Amino acid sequence: MASATGLTTATYIEALVECLAGRGSAPVLRAGGRDTSAEDLLSAIHRHARALASLGIGRGSLVALLAPNRPDALAIRYAASLLGAGSVFLSAPPAQESRAGLIAQMAP
């Protein structure tokens, strides 16, 4: 992407992927007492991107997640960004009817 100065700048997801690619087995996330390495997170991002793309998710799509703040949920969010889609974490009301209403309201 070109900036106002004519210099090329990376999007946040491009910068993140580049950073992860250079970190190898270094831990980048810790959740539930378990580390996730850069290479594992990058692999998960690409795996989820392929799955989302197979569902027709792409530029202009909105992916809504009823998910805890965990490595896989972050990987899905980053995968959506890699495809040019937006993403949003939704609260997870206990009642299924409330969750369905929330999803309908967001219209992902």
Side-chain angles (χ1 to χ4, degrees):
M1 173 182 308
S3 69
T5 62
L7 299 174
T8 301
T9 57
T11 63
Y12 96 92
I13 193 62
E14 292 167 336
L16 176 66
V17 166
E18 183 179 333
C19 180
L20 291 173
R23 300 280 316 267
S25 63
V28 294
L29 296 173
R30 182 166 189 74
R34 184 171 167 255
D35 288 336
T36 300
S37 71
E39 61 195 0
D40 288 344
L41 181 58
L42 188 56
S43 176
I45 291 168
H46 287 293
R47 183 176 64 252
H48 291 302
R50 287 189 301 274
L52 290 171
S54 76
L55 296 171
I57 303 296
R59 187 161 306 283
S61 298
L62 176 61
V63 175
L65 295 119
L66 291 168
N69 192 5
R70 308 276 302 165
D72 274 337
L74 290 173
I76 293 167
R77 186 173 193 150
Y78 295 147
S81 292
L82 197 60
L83 296 172
S87 62
V88 61
F89 283 111
L90 301 175
S91 62
Q96 182 173 344
E97 298 81 23
S98 297
R99 290 190 302 271
L102 184 57
I103 291 169
Q105 181 180 1
M106 294 301 299

